[in-house]
Amino acid sequence: MASKKRRIVVVGGGAAGILAAWRAASLRAEVVLLEKTVRLGTKILISGGGKCNITHDGPIEDLLAAFRKNEARFLRPACYRFTNSRIIEMLTSRGLRVYTRPDGRIFPVDATAKDVVAILRGYLDDANVEVRLKTPAQGLILEDGEVKGVSVPGGVEFGDRVIVSVGGSSYPNSGTTGDGWAWVKRAGHTIVPVRAALAPIDLKMPFDSPAGVAVRDRILKARKGGKEIARRRGDVLFTHRGISGPATLEISREVAEVGGDITIEIDLLPDCSPEELNSQLVDYCREHPKRALLRFCERIEIPESLLSIIGMGAGGAAARVDKKTRNQFASTLKGWVIGKVSRVPLDKGEVVSGGVALDEVDPHTMLSKRAAHLYLCGEMLDIAGPVGGYNLQAAFSTGYVAGESAASP
Ligand SMILES: Cc1cc2nc3c(=O)[nH]c(=O)nc-3n(C[C@H](O)[C@H](O)[C@H](O)COP(=O)(O)OP(=O)(O)OC[C@H]3O[C@@H](n4cnc5c(N)ncnc54)[C@H](O)[C@@H]3O)c2cc1C
């Protein structure tokens, strides 16, 4: 008599859940994938502005180095088991063409995130995964420390193994409302406080925000009590509420984690030391006595609309500018204080930091160390990578490993 197939319930049809369901089904398990919303892969669809930065190119060790040390340690086995090349190979073998940007980010060519999701859906269908949309799971069925299934409206979905991959809690309209954390907490897991990461930063600014204006390739810094707590080089975009853009997203996690009275400033001349700047300003005043000192900014490509905000006191002719004003102007250029942090909105982050404590999940299998037959993967774990395809890769890799382990004898 043929042995009964192992039944696996996967909760959450994002990057992690799709890979988990496909991998488990391809190992001959009977798999049902429960997705709360009307479609699979909602976050993949909005990723990379709809273009989907699928993953990051390069050796796995370099990819891991982009994460915090404890996160990299946890991710290492999964990322070697299911690499960046594997996800690309899965997609390109079904017709997607991809290109690698000079900064290592991999995107589809002549295609969008929609095509990525369509291909992944094809894998699920070919492996006979039963996909149930509009099916919000409501909790885990636990008996004597063992998970037996998942409660759903009108009943229970029983499974020999349960994989939870319901994501984080940013962009709640996309379906991710942090449901899984309460469930696994009941199973004995610790949830590291959840905060915004890769999010815009709302500021109280001493001037009207020049919304829509961007400064390119500068150093954005956050300070608390004068001490620097974060810095990144990149583009900063002013918004109606504060700032966004790559450099902002990348310091948002530290800003949200540290909290309290935080000031944000921009080094508008990152390649110039204060001494060099000072001597450049002295030369400028000597060479252009009739020009406004503020016009010095023309050399450093600062948008015109910012000059009146930055240039308090430096509007007069350079010849008449005294040393104090010149020094003040120099310190503004090296550390232009643009405001105090009022909020780092969790709902607007590309990911959240915090989630299921990593030491309570086996990194080789994604098996919970708190409940038998329970597997956890994707963003609901305490992992948050930077911008660049790292977060999808973490979800793909941990999902793949969860599916493989759950289906293995
Ligand atoms: C605007 C934006 C842009 C991004 N761009 C990129 C990018 O270009 N590259 C990159 O690497 N990362 C990007 N990310 C991050 C990346 O999308 C996530 O890290 C990744 O999708 C997480 O995958 P996941 O499967 O763990 O969770 P999700 O993709 O969030 O999937 C979780 C799924 O679970 C479902 N769910 C939730 N609760 C329940 C329930 N109770 N029952 C059933 N189903 C449930 C949700 O509806 C959702 O479909 C971006 C994120 C955002 C918000």
Side-chain angles (χ1 to χ4, degrees):
M1 203 174 77
S3 61
K4 191 176 150 283
K5 272 190 170 184
R6 182 172 289 174
R7 183 172 163 76
I8 297 175
V9 182
V10 182
V11 188
I18 292 173
L19 264 287
W22 165 71
R23 182 59 184 148
S26 66
L27 292 172
R28 308 197 155 277
E30 178 188 320
V31 181
V32 56
L33 173 57
L34 310 177
E35 167 53 45
K36 179 189 204 172
T37 68
V38 296
R39 62 181 71 82
L40 292 178
T42 308
K43 268 202 179 142
I44 302 179
L45 292 171
I46 59 173
S47 67
K51 293 202 171 87
C52 188
N53 176 192
I54 306 162
T55 184
H56 205 91
D57 193 27
I60 295 301
E61 282 306 317
D62 291 358
L63 195 133
L64 291 170
F67 290 85
R68 285 192 179 172
K69 281 203 170 70
N70 68 319
E71 299 176 10
R73 211 177 307 122
F74 178 87
L75 285 171
R76 182 166 284 109
C79 286
Y80 274 103
R81 184 84 197 101
F82 188 78
T83 60
N84 44 2
S85 317
R86 281 289 298 282
I87 185 66
I88 293 304
E89 198 265 329
M90 269 181 81
L91 297 169
T92 52
S93 66
R94 296 211 173 183
L96 192 80
R97 292 196 310 128
V98 299
Y99 77 103
T100 305
R101 283 186 6 182
D103 62 4
R105 299 177 196 194
I106 304 183
F107 285 89
V109 183
D110 307 329
T112 64
K114 244 182 172 168
D115 304 288
V116 173
V117 174
I119 292 175
L120 294 175
R121 174 71 206 228
Y123 275 99
L124 292 177
D125 293 343
D126 294 350
N128 291 321
V129 171
E130 184 193 345
V131 176
R132 266 194 238 155
L133 301 175
K134 294 191 261 178
T135 310
Q138 294 160 324
L140 299 174
I141 307 296
L142 284 157
E143 277 174 30
D144 302 326
E146 188 176 316
V147 71
K148 300 280 187 185
V150 174
S151 56
V152 289
V156 171
E157 200 58 56
F158 287 102
D160 303 306
R161 303 284 185 272
V162 171
I163 299 174
V164 182
S165 49
V166 292
S169 56
S170 68
Y171 279 73
N173 293 342
S174 71
T176 42
T177 43
D179 306 359
W181 292 318
W183 309 339
V184 301
K185 212 171 162 186
R186 248 170 262 137
H189 277 283
T190 311
I191 306 304
V192 175
V194 173
R195 299 207 170 82
L198 303 185
I201 298 177
D202 293 354
L203 297 176
K204 278 186 229 121
M205 292 171 151
F207 45 81
D208 288 338
S209 177
V213 173
V215 285
R216 310 261 172 225
D217 192 25
R218 308 298 152 106
I219 293 179
L220 185 68
K221 295 181 195 169
R223 285 185 196 278
K224 185 171 182 181
K227 184 171 169 252
E228 188 177 304
I229 57 161
R231 69 154 67 196
R232 283 304 179 285
R233 187 164 180 158
D235 299 350
V236 180
L237 173 71
F238 286 90
T239 66
H240 288 287
R241 291 171 182 276
I243 49 171
S244 187
T248 307
L249 302 198
E250 300 221 332
I251 65 164
S252 64
R253 180 178 184 178
E254 282 109 322
V255 169
E257 279 173 355
V258 172
D261 210 0
I262 295 175
T263 304
I264 302 290
E265 62 183 55
I266 302 177
D267 180 347
L268 292 163
L269 277 142
D271 297 319
C272 186
S273 70
E275 298 72 31
E276 280 164 356
L277 174 60
N278 199 41
S279 86
Q280 281 189 29
L281 287 174
V282 170
D283 290 351
Y284 185 86
C285 291
R286 204 181 42 242
E287 287 160 21
H288 308 286
K290 291 188 183 146
R291 262 191 230 163
L293 178 57
L294 193 55
R295 302 317 301 179
F296 174 82
C297 293
E298 285 164 2
R299 298 176 169 191
I300 54 175
E301 291 171 27
I302 294 174
E304 186 72 28
S305 52
L306 295 186
L307 292 187
S308 58
I309 303 173
I310 296 168
M312 276 79 97
R320 288 200 302 276
V321 168
D322 60 18
K323 191 174 171 195
K324 189 172 161 220
T325 309
R326 202 179 60 228
N327 287 346
Q328 264 170 4
F329 184 55
S331 5
T332 304
L333 292 179
K334 285 300 291 171
W336 177 33
V337 176
I338 56 171
K340 275 188 188 307
V341 174
S342 57
R343 201 170 74 107
V344 189
L346 189 135
D347 56 327
K348 298 205 179 87
E350 289 197 3
V351 286
V352 291
S353 69
V356 180
L358 297 181
D359 58 354
E360 298 173 358
V361 178
D362 178 353
H364 297 274
T365 57
M366 300 300 141
L367 180 62
S368 158
K369 294 182 185 172
R370 295 287 177 269
H373 299 166
L374 173 65
Y375 295 78
L376 307 171
C377 55
E379 203 189 315
M380 72 174 303
L381 301 172
D382 179 20
I383 292 170
V387 172
Y390 300 101
N391 288 299
L392 278 174
Q393 184 63 48
F396 290 137
S397 296
T398 56
Y400 180 93
V401 166
E404 184 164 274
S405 328
S408 299

